[in-house]
Amino acid sequence: MLIDELHAELGRQGHPDLRPMHGFVLQAIGGSGCTAVELGRTLGVSKQAAGKTIETLERLGYVVSARDPQDSRKKIARISERGWDALRRSAEIFDRLRAGWAETLGEERLRALESDLRKVTPADPWRLDVPGWFST
């Protein structure tokens, strides 16, 4: 529900094509950029799946790719200004939605809920090996 609300609002704010898994990918690419091999390793998917996702995000304008100046065989994917805008807006939207939950549940209860959820989720948050997450 939270993710659905976040993406509905993100769509209204100019990012209708961004999907939940795209946010994970943009965060994994990070400020330094990465290759498809590195992205695949971080996310626990094949180089091919990572490369296809980079291509999709590039086509949508969230990522730009260029040859690595130190090794022309490699392409480095970097977050574009549109991608940074989407990440900034996502963080702002999430903060507003969380504030609404805090108002409804109370801040102390929400913190306890977040703590409980951390206890039952995997320590490795990047494993995205669920079929279909990387389809366009």
Side-chain angles (χ1 to χ4, degrees), residues 108-120:
E108 186 176 316
R109 178 63 199 120
L110 181 56
R111 280 196 196 121
L113 175 62
E114 291 169 339
S115 176
D116 289 345
L117 289 172
R118 280 187 204 93
K119 291 174 188 173
V120 297

Side-chain angles (χ1 to χ4, degrees), residues 36-103:
V37 170
E38 294 164 337
L39 181 63
R41 195 174 302 126
T42 299
L43 298 176
V45 300
S46 70
K47 170 189 164 188
Q48 292 78 12
K52 185 174 180 181
T53 302
I54 288 170
E55 289 173 9
T56 297
L57 289 172
E58 193 167 15
R59 188 178 70 248
L60 295 172
Y62 294 101
V63 168
V64 292
S65 295
R67 293 281 170 207
D68 183 338
Q70 296 171 1
D71 185 346
S72 63
R73 297 170 296 170
K74 295 180 183 178
K75 282 180 78 173
I76 304 291
R78 289 188 169 72
I79 300 172
S80 69
E81 186 51 46
R82 179 170 172 75
W84 286 116
D85 180 67
L87 287 173
R88 279 190 295 275
R89 289 174 187 266
S90 292
E92 291 167 2
I93 295 165
F94 178 83
D95 288 345
R96 282 196 304 272
L97 292 171
R98 188 194 179 282
W101 283 31
E103 188 175 310

